[in-house]
Amino acid sequence: MKKMILILVLLISLSCLGQQYPNFKSLRFDENYSFLKKDTLQNDWYKTMKFMPMSSSKNIYISFGGSVRYQYFYAKNENWGDGPQDNDGYILSRYLFHADFHAGKYFRTFIQTQSSLADGRIDPSPVDQNPLEVHQVFADFNIINEANKRLILRVGRQEMTYGSQRLVALRDGPNNRQSFDGVKVIASKNNYSADFFYSHYVVAHDGIFDDDSNKDKQFWGSYLVVNKVPFIKNIDVYYLGYERAHAVFNDGAGKENRHSVGTRIWGKSEDWRYDGETLFQFGDFDSKDINAWTASLNLGYRLNTVKFHPEIGCKIEVISGDREVGDNGLETFNPLFPRGSYFGLASVIGPSNLIDFHPSLNFELAKNIEWGIDYDMFWRYSSKDGIYAPNVSLIYPGDTTTSKEIGGQLESEIVWQPNQYLYFRVEGTWFKAGDYIKASGTGKDIFFTGITMQLNF
């Protein structure tokens, strides 16, 4: 109750601000409050928090910020009825606080702590609970820092996200966001931008300040984005390398060395949005050759002249699975580090060995209120492979039945954002188990519902 009262007091204070501030970004280190250097507003506690000069010239300054999120979830027949069941629901809370120090144009450091708690959750995983950690701490050396040209060397623990977050994501949906220990070179000029990086995945432990680099999970690559391309508007081209010392698939266990090469074309107009991506994976797994791939197309059309501005959407994904157990090849696709709520916040399954057809309909009920409803239909791509969680752990093996039908997922949510500081969401998901699920386990239908409140500052 004390926490809720403190949040309410902070909310009232924020609502009284006269100064207009830019919207918050998903990557909080991308926010820039240097424009407040010229602001003359006095006795504004929030402005002081966002821009605190440390020198008379104001070129050296520090900025503070963060977010607080509370969620209540209830699931009936979680994991299709397999394993321990919770009849009461649980509360997830997440606290993120950061400090961003700038020393002129050429040097900055960013530090962010994260506390993710799971109250009432049966046997919470590191994705749900991580009591208190240094989530990010890195230094930027701005070798070139001009309006249309940048060259930055970033060293330390950092979040990374690329493209539509199908392969590299913040993992903001689940309670505990993910980060990497590594080195990155960031380059951009006019309409071109590119990242080059090498890193180790940061493993969450159930203690305080004990997260560490996982030397068994190495991740490196390059990601190029070209904007303002004639006709197609935007294109991404990338290479991602991944090595895991202990990998487990339906076809066995062993060391995995995987390379991903792909491209993405995306853009939007006043009415249309589109996002198409295809990629190929190769490498080796134990003594097997990796030969995996995926292709997706996400389209949406918004009827701006109709009341509530309905948007009709459709997403289609084909994701390869292993075609034969015991042979010399592995065709199971590895999504690497995707967003945890890949197919909705219920996070029932992950993007491996799947065919997914996903129509949706969204409405703008009011200026800051949106309602969405969608239906996901899932099949196994290969009847010889199983299905996997978002972290590529095997849920059910592939030999329980020859049926490919996994099931259908109906989801609906209402999102209210009264201002840039507050976010509310109410949602419900119903997953109807298909023949494969029924043959592989208890096979009950899942009902999942949740309420989310988030405050950014």
Side-chain angles (χ1 to χ4, degrees), residues 214-264:
N214 186 346
K215 296 181 180 179
D216 291 339
K217 282 188 178 182
Q218 301 178 53
F219 184 49
W220 65 93
S222 58
Y223 202 99
L224 171 68
V225 179
V226 185
N227 303 120
K228 298 182 180 180
V229 180
F231 184 68
I232 61 175
K233 292 194 175 181
N234 307 286
I235 183 169
D236 301 356
V237 180
Y238 56 86
Y239 159 76
L240 302 172
Y242 177 59
E243 184 176 294
R244 182 167 48 156
H246 307 288
V248 178
F249 293 94
N250 183 76
D251 197 16
K255 183 177 179 179
E256 176 185 11
N257 194 307
R258 188 179 295 249
H259 308 275
S260 303
V261 179
T263 186
R264 171 179 175 242

Side-chain angles (χ1 to χ4, degrees), residues 92 116-119 124-131 175-176 204-206:
L92 302 179
S116 304
L117 305 175
D119 296 326
S125 74
V127 174
D128 291 326
Q129 182 157 293
N130 194 10
N175 206 33
N176 190 41
H205 299 290
D206 193 20

